[in-house]
Amino acid sequence: DAKTTQPNSMESNEEEPVHLPCNHSTISGTDYIHWYRQLPSQGPEYVIHGLTSNVNNRMASLAIAEDRKSSTLILHRATLRDAAVYYCILSSGNTPLVFGKGTRLSVIA
Amino acid sequence: NAGVTQTPKFQVLKTGQSMTLQCAQDMNHNSMYWYRQDPGMGLRLIYYSASEGTTDKGEVPNGYNVSRLNKREFSLRLESAAPSQTSVYFCASSERFRQGRTEAFFGQGTRLTVV
């Protein structure tokens, strides 16, 4: 399985943008980049995914480097409800999602 | 919409006891999964079912069995519980086994303690 590297933890002030990085230098051409987050005492929830182009949805934006060896999840305006563990996952068509330890995001009021 | 429903939410077992964790989804998804999450760790895949009638081992299958009862339901059985199986168990489903492009939905988890 292709591996990802994320910082263990990050901190942000409320109402400021947050950029969560992910390195995936061994990504293959068929790997999609997925982001999930896990709020305290809940199951993971889907945030966003992409292949090559940057993606936007109501929750976040995903910026993918041109060489696809890294990506950044952008929360445009962090709220206290965004405090969670964020997982960056690579997935091709033939394997289930494999979770790492993710980045624990703390949001300060 | 209920999404993915897991029962029970909490369970305490004695070492050696058996139990079945139930999971049902109402989204007509083809693929279903069981993960476990130990404190401070990410999720690890136990078993998955790419489609009705098929099951496959994941990363940590030892000590568990699964049954894909029908398209909606995927159960996880512990035949002889051990303290090392104390964990939070998550069931998930996705539309089809093309995880590269499809979103997975997770249940709220079952917190299992084996004493």
Side-chain angles (χ1 to χ4, degrees), chain A residues 27-104:
Chain A
I27 190 171
S28 74
T30 57
D31 283 330
Y32 282 74
I33 302 160
H34 289 247
W35 284 84
Y36 282 73
R37 73 178 185 180
Q38 187 174 19
L39 302 173
S41 300
Q42 294 192 26
E45 64 174 347
Y46 168 84
V47 177
I48 200 167
H49 79 277
L51 183 62
T52 56
S53 303
N54 294 345
V55 184
N56 299 299
N57 66 21
R58 64 175 180 81
M59 289 181 71
S61 295
L62 175 60
I64 301 172
E66 196 168 334
D67 63 5
R68 300 211 322 130
K69 294 185 176 182
S70 65
S71 61
T72 303
L73 179 70
I74 303 166
L75 307 180
H76 295 287
R77 199 164 157 268
T79 70
L80 297 178
R81 288 186 301 243
D82 292 321
V85 178
Y86 287 78
Y87 298 97
C88 171
I89 303 167
L90 301 183
S91 182
S92 62
N94 298 319
T95 57
L97 297 173
V98 176
F99 287 77
K101 293 187 178 181
T103 297
R104 182 173 298 278

Side-chain angles (χ1 to χ4, degrees), chain B residues 9-57:
Chain B
K9 289 185 169 50
F10 301 93
Q11 183 71 49
V12 178
L13 286 180
K14 293 182 178 179
T15 298
Q17 285 185 319
S18 62
M19 79 160 295
T20 299
L21 280 63
Q22 306 287 352
C23 175
Q25 51 90 10
D26 63 0
M27 296 171 281
N28 200 36
H29 284 171
N30 290 303
S31 305
M32 298 185 73
Y33 316 85
W34 276 105
Y35 290 86
R36 62 175 285 176
Q37 185 173 34
D38 299 327
M41 304 291 288
L43 282 75
R44 291 184 292 170
L45 183 67
I46 306 171
Y47 270 94
Y48 63 97
S49 172
S51 60
E52 188 178 355
T54 69
T55 60
D56 283 286
K57 295 179 181 179

Side-chain angles (χ1 to χ4, degrees), chain B residues 59-89:
Chain B
E59 182 186 359
V60 287
N62 290 346
Y64 305 95
N65 286 302
V66 290
S67 295
R68 183 74 183 267
L69 304 171
N70 48 55
K71 193 172 185 179
R72 288 187 67 247
E73 298 171 289
F74 188 39
S75 64
L76 178 72
R77 183 161 178 84
L78 287 71
E79 291 291 352
S80 179
S84 60
Q85 294 178 305
T86 294
S87 190
V88 181
Y89 291 84

